[in-house]
Amino acid sequence: MRRSWFPRGIALVFFGFALSRPASAQSSPPLAPPPAPAATPTPAPTPTPTLAPTPTRPPHASDSDDPTSGEWAWRERMLSESNTITGGTGLLHTQHAQTGAQGEFRISLVGEGFSEGFLCTTKYPCPNPKGTGPVVTSDKMDHVGGTLSLGVSLFRTQGGAIDLYGSIATYANSDSQNRPQLLQVLGDSNFGLKYVARKGAYVNLGAFAEGLLVNGTGQVGLAGAGTSAKLGILTTLDLRGQVSSSVHLPLRISVNASYEFDNTAAVLTSTESQIGGPVNRIDRYGLGINRVDHFDLLAGIEAFLVDERVRPFVEGHVLVASNRQGYQCNPVNPSSDGCLKTDALAPATMSAGFRVFPWKRSFSLLAAADIGLTSTNFVEELQPVPLWTIFAGAGWSVDTRDKPILVQKRADAPVLPPHGHIVGFVHAVGSSDPLPYAIAAYRDRPDLSPLATGADGKFGDDVPPGAYTYELRAEGFKQGTCDATVPPMGTPAPIAIDCALEALPSAGSIVGQVRDSDTSQPVGGAPVAVALRGAERLVQKTDASGTFRFENLSPGTVTLRVEADGYMVQIIPIEVRAHRDSAVDLTLRPLPKQPNVVVTAHELTIKQQIQFALDSAVILPDSYAILGEIADTFIRHPDIKLTEVQGHTDNTGSPVHNRKLSEARAEAVRNWIIQHGVEVERLIAHGYGPDKPLVPNTTPGNRAANRRVQFIIKDRDASAPPPVVPQAPAPPAEPHPEPHQQPDKKGAAKRPADTLGI
């Protein structure tokens, strides 16, 4: 796996440099914009020049302030320049000796992939991935990757322009006949600098330099020894022509020639020293390795169709090796590769695709494919060429200069008919506080649009003479009206009107439904009570659909209590909001057939212990049922004034830690019960750790019995008769396993090592 963080810094530099360039720092562009329009005032905007021909002369000095000038038409046209896969302007692989306007930057994202078997053949078998056995003559390579590129046109000189660009590539290769099967490259980075200049009516020349930062295998970060560089020259023949020329062919042809100092094989030095020989062909392809330098020759032709919005292209790429490193092929190659010394090979690829600009000229979509022309031959020094690769992506160009706003000379303004300006102030009756966002609609005037008040409670409109009635609506207020009259001759002074609205009663409602938690069926006839101020209560029963509704409630927090036969009591707080329905959906848990909670003189005895996550105070969902029954018991026994929730452990582990954990668990149980309707002052929590065992901690069964939560009654109103709650006789308690235990196939509980003893 290879990974690099360097491109993040490059991207930030690109953006900062592009945005920091002043708009005034403009000089003659390398691709000159169209001629300036005549400097005569016109009553209407000058149409934007057509995009067909390429202009010849520099813009007029005043063009930079004229949005209809040739310079701005040229700048908009330059937004159609797109990135190659490495970042420079061009096709998919071939760069143009042209770039965008100063201050324009481009970003693109291109994905690629294929699924094909081509690396193991009868002529070139692969070693058996198991280490022994017959050689492999077929394979299946799955390739997927993506490249993010960014380019920016920095500045111009009198002769040309400077372009800065970079890219970061991430890809993964998986081959069924390799070990490891998956090879990933995360973040190989390329950055470059390009200079281009126009030399005549159609010819553009340029040069570029690039640096390639690669990642080491089996490590995180750059492999310095693998850093590579490329130097190249560019030429572009743009036949779209000039304004004065008779040649207007919608074609552009570009040729690139470069030499790459390729050091990517350095990332394999440690790996190959460990295995005692070269890596196989699959590894070399998956990691993108060349062992020698190479000349790269690229040529591409691009057509311009549908007003230059559709741009098909074809490219060719030939790589010619140069053994600067003096690499000597291994006498015994496990992959049966050839050697450049005896097997001359110049890997070649042909590409075809198109770009389309579906909406704005600055946004493009790309679809293309590479076809390998030498994919069935392999040499030890060069990375194999796949049979085919599919590319798809998108690009976006941005001009950091703001286009000037066209200022037109207006004709003499016509004489307007008499009118008046009405200003209304909307407020509450008896108050001068404004009502923002109130709506004032014209009564019987559908031709006039409704108005809205601002934060100052005012609305205004210019209207012809006449009488007007505004229908006013504001949230929380009764609908009202306000009248105004504009005199027949109009008036220049505002006509102020005062509009007071009466507030609605500040009351809210609660609407809800009660359902069975097991069946989700509605529970009809269930008493629902709302506790208001003091001892005041409102009670009603749910209808057959389980619904209920309480109206005209004062805003604030109230408590809902639902107590139905055969169900546990449900108590929840709910917020009543003014002029709103507060909706609530209540689910009632049926009472168990055999009660699990028994109230004695001094304790609430539970027949199921409460389950917690291992070494944690988090209550497991399996215990929600017993906790709900405990809360129900407290609600039905108001005579129990104070109860201590006790947490206990066995003697396994640190006593200090066990006391702290038992305290947290007791507090968690207390909080759960309080949240389900029991008054906070009726419960306290305390953790005793291993200090109060029920039985000696001598056997696993005794230690399990000592790990428990108890509810000890501290204060009880003996004069209050306890409620009658039907309960079946409690079955004998069974030993309780740890919450994290899982029964084995024979039913015995398995307990992992728990040094905390709880």
Side-chain angles (χ1 to χ4, degrees), residues 136-212:
V136 177
T137 58
S138 64
D139 71 315
K140 179 68 173 301
M141 170 65 77
D142 293 315
H143 170 86
V144 64
T147 302
L148 176 66
S149 65
L150 179 68
V152 59
S153 301
L154 292 179
F155 56 86
R156 297 193 188 90
T157 65
Q158 289 296 326
I162 300 294
D163 207 33
L164 183 65
Y165 58 90
S167 65
I168 178 171
T170 298
Y171 51 89
N173 297 282
S174 177
D175 196 292
S176 57
Q177 301 298 339
N178 197 47
R179 296 296 182 272
Q181 182 171 330
L182 178 65
L183 296 172
Q184 298 183 77
V185 175
L186 303 179
D188 277 0
S189 310
N190 184 85
F191 59 96
L193 190 68
K194 178 168 72 173
Y195 173 79
V196 296
R198 186 161 190 160
K199 301 297 181 182
Y202 308 106
V203 178
N204 298 268
L205 301 177
F208 69 94
E210 294 180 355
L212 175 64

Side-chain angles (χ1 to χ4, degrees), residues 597-606 640 643 646 694 708-714 716:
V597 181
V598 177
V599 180
T600 65
H602 303 289
E603 183 179 358
L604 267 68
T605 303
I606 58 175
I640 301 177
T643 299
Q646 297 183 352
L694 290 176
R708 67 199 186 279
V709 175
Q710 288 184 268
F711 299 86
I712 305 302
I713 299 173
K714 296 293 186 179
R716 189 170 187 177

Side-chain angles (χ1 to χ4, degrees), residues 389-419:
T389 306
I390 298 295
F391 298 87
W396 182 263
S397 301
V398 177
D399 193 340
T400 58
R401 284 189 58 188
D402 293 329
K403 185 175 182 180
I405 300 174
L406 178 65
V407 178
Q408 290 182 250
K409 181 180 178 181
R410 300 183 58 183
D412 293 338
V415 178
L416 298 176
H419 70 284

Side-chain angles (χ1 to χ4, degrees), residues 453-471:
T453 61
D456 58 357
K458 294 182 179 180
F459 66 89
D461 200 6
D462 291 324
V463 293
Y468 299 91
T469 297
Y470 296 95
E471 295 181 342

